[in-house]
Amino acid sequence: MMPSRLGPSQWAELERKLGLGAADYITARVYDDELTIGICRACADALGQDFSDFLFEFGAYWIHFAASGPYRGVMQSTGESLPEFLMNLDRMHNTVRLAMPEARTPLFELLDSHGDSLLVEYSSPREGLEPLVAGLLSGLLGFFGEQGSVTRLDGDNGRLFRIQLGSQA
Amino acid sequence: MAATHSAFTPPASTGIDDERRKSADLRNTLLIQLQQGLLAEALESAVDLDKARLHSEELLHNISEICGFLAHDFNNYLSIISMNCDALAAGDEQRRLRARDAIANAARRGKELATSLINLSRDREAAAELVDVDQFVRANHSLLAAAAGGESLLNLNLNAHGICVRVEPSALSHALVNLVINARKALRGLRSDGIDISTRVDSSGPYPLLHLEVGDNGVGVSGPMREKLFERFATDRLDGVGLGLASADHFCRKYGGHIAYRPAEVSGSVFTLLLPLADGVDPAQLERTRDAAAPAQPALEGHGQSCSDTSELRVLIVDDEPDALEAMAELLANFGCRVATARSLGDAWAAWGDTLFDIVFIDASLQYGEQSAFIAWVRDRNPHVSIGAISGALSRLTSTPDYDFALPKPLSKQMLGFVLEEYLARN
């Protein structure tokens, strides 16, 4: 996402500032949250974006990345529709933990699914990643070719999300 | 054990069994898909790591080669100095004068080479500034000659007198050195006329562009490579990584220009850095600016004799290099100063504790952690003292604490005279 947003050279400059090199991007390695969040904050600063806005955009991008890269099969197997995907999301994360036992994955529960409205609860020991979740859910709408909107509901620490399907949403 | 096949009727499954089976199937499918994804990503990482390794190896290789050439050049200068030192003891006055000139000339060329290296190592974040390109190429001639593989292999044809571009100088150095190294590699094993560096201004387009060309009569660029010449990691050389031209292209684009390739007339390649001229800079105006920025020639310059104004100045020099210490003390003594010397801050503290100094020179690389305390102590004793850092490394001078002035090595009589003049003017 960052090379395309900043341009390859500016991203290379930012990597240099952050002290990141090819050896830092190792697959199936679990990174400290401090490092990951630090990189995200630096990226948001570089783009001149509010951190929450950056997390939302990154969440949406992550779905695009996962669905078009090596993890496309995982995405496709998790569900053929948005409700099915959300119901299987914990199973998918359980699988991730089998491959990476140190990974701390969140929990998602599809609390309600009536008509064009889905209610999703997100749980995680991590704080402050709700905008990322909103971005991920928004990205999933696109992945399933749906139109709609994602709203973070007040209460429950803002960890309830309403997904409204349809072009009028 | 051989498998036996028989008619088998599975027991009627319940809804719960179906659910479990589906769940297990999904888990297995996801695990397989995830492992395939991880494997694919691991392969991508491995390729990236290999490219990074190759890049590091190429950089190291280039640096070692240039270091070899630089060592050769420095040894030449040192030989000139060493051999002519003997001649200084000769009885023939003309011979002594020639030896002195030869030593001065070798020192000047060594200094130019060191300045080029210091510029090359400057922080890449440094701001863009006005660079007179012809002057820049000449000033970096020794470095470029080292990159080319020898002075005789480098031909300059500079026709953009006084023309300036606004770029970051070390980035220009890197781009130019990259092109010269590429040219040298293209010439490997061939009879060669050398590497040509030329400049000119092209006013035929919508706005004038400076053309800075590096040409060779080497193997040239193969047809398929021309399409992707400036892409990262594009190379057709076995020992290449494909970052040099991409980096030069990035440099040009960053400053509003671009890079171009054309085959040389007979054989080989010409790469051109095309850069917009600095806005509104009239070369004549630049000349005036440069003159104004140049340090004023001190009144004491070149006389090498006592001057009544400086005869009362008490100067302390702290440097752990005894020969440099002695030479600097002698130069300042020639100005009439009363000079004290110390090889360390501790010695200076102990030996000269009660003396008030007007000017103190400190080798910036000496006991760096203790310098602030020493400087505070000196200032406490004489609030009018002028304290300067001396160093051969630019980075030291830009990061030294609490100094009134900084002088780059090698020092000259003119520089020291200027410091004395400044002090007298202020006090």
Side-chain angles (χ1 to χ4, degrees), chain A residues 8-10 12-13 16-17 22-28 65 70-74 77-78 88 91-92 95-96 98-100, chain B residues 19 23 26-27 29-45 48-49 52 123-125 232 250 254:
Chain A
S9 52
Q10 280 195 53
E13 287 291 315
R16 197 176 62 80
K17 276 186 195 163
D24 293 302
Y25 305 112
I26 304 291
T27 304
F65 165 78
Y71 301 107
R72 182 170 183 77
V74 176
S77 301
T78 305
N88 287 329
R91 287 194 176 98
M92 189 254 267
T95 315
V96 170
L98 283 174
M100 292 186 273
Chain B
E19 195 58 37
S23 181
L26 177 62
R27 191 189 61 206
T29 306
L30 284 172
L31 200 51
I32 291 166
Q33 297 285 2
L34 183 68
Q35 283 175 337
Q36 285 176 345
L38 288 169
L39 189 61
E41 210 180 23
L43 280 171
E44 281 177 21
S45 297
D48 286 345
L49 280 171
D123 188 351
R124 300 292 296 273
E125 295 298 302
R232 280 160 66 92
H250 165 59
K254 183 173 177 183

Side-chain angles (χ1 to χ4, degrees), chain B residues 40-73:
Chain B
E41 210 180 23
L43 280 171
E44 281 177 21
S45 297
V47 170
D48 286 345
L49 280 171
D50 197 44
K51 283 176 178 171
R53 180 184 62 77
L54 285 170
H55 183 212
S56 304
E57 280 179 6
E58 188 187 37
L59 279 179
L60 197 60
H61 178 70
N62 285 343
I63 290 168
S64 341
E65 284 203 20
I66 290 185
C67 283
F69 287 120
L70 291 174
H72 169 264
D73 285 0

